[in-house]
Amino acid sequence: MDSKLAELVAARRVKLDELRAQGIDPYPVRFAPSASLAEVRAAHAELAPGTETGVEVTVAGRLVARREHGKLTFLVLREDGVDLQLFCPRGALDQPSRALIGHLDVGDWVGARGEVLATRKGELSVRPAELTLLGKGLRPLPDKWHGLTDTEARFRQRELDLVVNPDARRVFALRARVLKALRAELDERGFTEVETPMLHPIPGGAAARPFVTHHNTLDTDLYLRIAPELYLKRLIAGGMPRVYEINRSFRNEGMSTRHNPEFTMLESYQAYADYHDVMDLTEALLQRAAREALGSLQLSYQGREVSLQGPWRRATLLELVREATGLADLDYDVEVDRVRALCEAHGVRTEPSWGVGKLVLELYEALVESTLWEPTFVIDYPVEVSPLARRHRSAPHVTERFELIVTGRELANAFSELTDPDDQRARFEAQVAARAAGDAEAMHLDESYLAAMELGMPPIGGLGVGVDRLVMLLADVASIREVVLFPTLRPERT
């Protein structure tokens, strides 16, 4: 703690001791407002200057500003982003409140009981007869004019960020509306919201590096889930026709403006559907989220317009790579050395073990993905990079899989799900071989999931939506840390 901060804290502690000496509890157990600040403002929005209403209310909030004018004190309370002035002539206060008011600091939590009025200048106010200290703040808030501008400090002290930065409140209010809209759309379509384990004996459902922990009683390692996919599909095998989960998943990978080790996904699975049905569902989900969060399908993201108005473009991954490279005859059955040479010509990294499908995917990610600004369903991913997706019904080298790309970022990943247990076992075994060859993100073989598949599965359409990235788009922010209340950060240097 620097010397100036220590001095301010010490002065507040003196006030704290004085309050206790006067028999005032600075941290009372309960208070009962009769109305929120927003409700007071809404009920008296048209009050003319100089009007006294005779209406008494009890309100509460954090003290965010105070100024003195002779025997008159003006206090400003803030609650849930709404401000309301307390107009405090000394003579209107009862004796305990007169003693208290000089001990109040910006940052304290304060309750007030009094009449609603509009000052002569037209400021809606409450004139308190009684003030109550609800929580003494010992550390000062950031300066009102400069706010909390250090980005790292904003994320480490989100509570301060929410107090002083209105845009932070906007983002997280929008996030809540997005989650509500996603749930409402799925509920109305007959999906059941479920909860699946966060601790997995085998990491599965995605190609990613997991976090590992140890269960002492069982004396076994467990993994924080990288995806809930396999458990959700087991529910379909159990006869639940439509399920979804808005889940927290964890991946022990790098951090960036698009990646946080702990993140939120929406995953849904529906019986009898294919990836075309899921594209329709995805479009409906994101459009509803936009309408309910923003009231419009026309957005501005980082200074550039983007429309969520449908129908959205659908293009195969291969045709997009053909467009980017100018090679109309590029296909999955060409010689691997030719595709490897094409990668090298475009500065795309390769590995000797990669086949044509993986190399084509690398070309797409390097040359195409970031250029797709308007919503685009990129469909038909190579089999070798899609171990859980069904093989395409008419194209042997690809799967019925899509990713939704908006503003150059993946927002959703979805399949016509693989339901053939023998095909799934062969895919898992290929992943095990890739892991043995050094691919730390390759999947494990999950016998429990294979046993569920062997019970028999109907056709399934599965979807995963990155909720954090969707909120980034709708809130018009460039970093995932802006939409996660408490993002993962490097330890502070001491």
Side-chain angles (χ1 to χ4, degrees):
M1 188 183 298
D2 63 45
S3 59
K4 182 167 180 56
L5 176 58
E7 182 181 327
L8 292 170
V9 170
R12 291 187 176 214
R13 284 195 173 276
V14 168
K15 293 181 180 180
L16 183 71
D17 292 340
E18 291 173 351
L19 289 166
R20 284 177 167 149
Q22 295 171 24
I24 297 173
D25 182 356
Y27 303 106
V29 69
R30 189 174 185 277
F31 190 73
S34 64
S36 69
L37 303 189
E39 288 169 340
V40 173
R41 283 205 162 277
H44 303 279
E46 305 301 325
L47 206 58
T51 302
E52 298 185 0
T53 65
V55 176
E56 184 177 277
V57 295
T58 302
V59 295
R62 184 191 291 275
L63 180 59
V64 294
R66 68 172 294 160
R67 61 187 176 89
E68 311 288 339
H69 186 72
K71 294 184 178 181
L72 182 59
T73 301
F74 296 92
L75 306 176
V76 178
L77 299 187
R78 179 172 297 162
E79 178 190 39
D80 200 21
V82 176
D83 290 358
L84 184 66
Q85 178 175 275
L86 302 183
F87 174 76
C88 305
R90 187 172 180 81
L93 296 169
D94 63 14
Q95 186 55 45
S97 299
R98 292 178 199 170
L100 172 63
I101 198 168
H103 289 77
L104 296 179
D105 293 295
V106 169
D108 292 350
W109 290 87
V110 176
R113 178 183 60 80
E115 181 185 3
V116 179
L117 56 81
T119 65
R120 284 180 294 179
K121 291 186 177 181
E123 181 67 29
L124 183 66
S125 306
V126 170
R127 180 172 58 203
E130 180 181 320
L131 295 172
T132 305
L133 178 62
L134 304 179
K136 185 66 182 169
L138 298 180
R139 287 176 176 254
L141 299 180
D143 177 84
K144 66 174 289 188
W145 302 112
H146 297 96
L148 186 65
T149 56
D150 181 86
T151 301
E152 190 82 0
R154 288 181 50 233
F155 300 147
R156 289 191 188 280
Q157 296 178 279
R158 184 68 83 182
E159 63 279 8
L160 278 182
D161 189 30
L162 293 169
V163 170
V164 301
N165 290 331
D167 196 59
R169 298 186 60 83
R170 175 191 70 85
V171 169
F172 292 106
L174 181 146
R175 183 184 178 109
R177 294 195 297 274
V178 167
L179 289 169
K180 184 177 180 180
L182 295 174
R183 282 191 168 96
E185 184 69 24
L186 288 165
D187 291 345
E188 290 169 13
R189 289 171 177 259
F191 284 78
T192 300
E193 184 172 10
V194 298
E195 296 174 303
T196 61
M198 296 178 73
L199 290 174
H200 291 188
I202 297 173
R209 189 188 300 267
F211 288 94
V212 62
T213 187
H214 189 78
H215 192 291
N216 293 330
T217 300
L218 298 178
D219 190 24
T220 188
D221 284 345
L222 294 172
Y223 303 87
L224 286 176
R225 71 175 167 206
I226 55 177
E229 177 169 344
L230 302 187
Y231 284 94
L232 290 170
K233 287 194 284 193
R234 286 166 68 175
L235 298 179
I236 300 289
M240 299 181 71
R242 296 187 174 202
V243 295
Y244 77 94
E245 182 173 9
I246 296 178
N247 65 85
R248 304 305 290 271
S249 291
F250 307 84
R251 297 183 185 177
N252 195 356
E253 300 170 343
M255 297 188 297
S256 72
T257 57
R258 302 187 189 189
H259 299 91
N260 192 63
E262 177 181 2
F263 59 98
T264 301
M265 290 282 291
L266 161 66
E267 292 213 10
S268 70
Y269 295 86
Q270 60 187 108
Y272 319 123
D274 68 4
Y275 73 149
H276 295 292
D277 299 306
V278 179
M279 284 183 239
D280 294 338
L281 172 64
T282 305
E283 193 166 320
L285 280 168
L286 270 61
Q287 287 176 341
R288 178 154 185 176
R291 287 191 186 100
E292 297 197 8
L294 300 174
S296 175
L297 298 182
Q298 308 303 316
L299 318 178
S300 176
Y301 185 73
Q302 301 298 288
R304 185 175 171 185
E305 297 304 306
V306 57
S307 174
L308 298 186
Q309 190 70 47
W312 297 345
R313 181 189 182 192
R314 302 181 183 190
T316 70
L317 184 145
L318 183 62
E319 67 184 272
L320 291 170
V321 174
R322 287 171 174 170
E323 290 173 6
T325 60
L327 296 177
D329 62 342
L330 180 64
D331 214 327
Y332 291 109
D333 55 7
V334 302
E335 290 293 328
V336 67
D337 288 343
R338 180 186 172 193
V339 186
R340 186 173 290 112
L342 181 62
C343 289
E344 291 169 357
H346 287 278
V348 176
R349 185 181 70 88
T350 68
E351 294 285 347
S353 61
W354 291 353
V356 171
K358 172 65 171 172
L359 294 171
V360 171
L361 176 66
E362 293 293 317
L363 284 165
Y364 159 77
E365 290 181 344
L367 305 179
V368 179
E369 186 174 76
S370 64
T371 70
L372 301 175
W373 189 260
E374 296 295 326
T376 304
F377 290 113
V378 180
I379 67 174
D380 300 351
Y381 277 65
V383 171
E384 65 192 272
V385 296
S386 309
L388 296 171
R390 175 186 290 270
R391 290 177 187 270
H392 197 281
R393 64 197 79 181
S394 60
H397 298 292
V398 297
T399 59
E400 295 196 353
R401 172 187 172 189
F402 73 78
E403 288 187 356
L404 171 65
I405 310 298
V406 187
T407 66
R409 293 177 177 176
E410 175 200 343
L411 291 190
N413 186 23
F415 317 143
S416 296
E417 299 291 339
L418 178 58
T419 56
D420 179 341
D422 294 333
D423 192 352
Q424 182 65 81
R425 182 177 291 277
R427 306 270 197 98
F428 275 154
E429 288 172 349
Q431 288 285 297
V432 169
R435 173 171 285 275
D439 184 352
E441 295 186 353
M443 293 184 187
H444 296 252
L445 193 152
D446 189 332
E447 289 289 358
S448 295
Y449 178 63
L450 289 170
M453 294 186 74
E454 289 170 357
L455 288 174
M457 282 182 166
I460 303 171
L463 169 65
V465 175
V467 172
D468 304 310
R469 291 187 182 182
L470 174 58
V471 176
M472 287 170 63
L473 171 67
L474 299 181
D476 188 15
V477 296
S479 171
I480 194 171
R481 293 183 179 185
E482 297 286 359
V483 302
V484 176
L485 276 168
F486 297 99
T488 304
L489 301 169
R490 296 184 185 279
E492 288 189 272
R493 295 179 179 178
T494 57

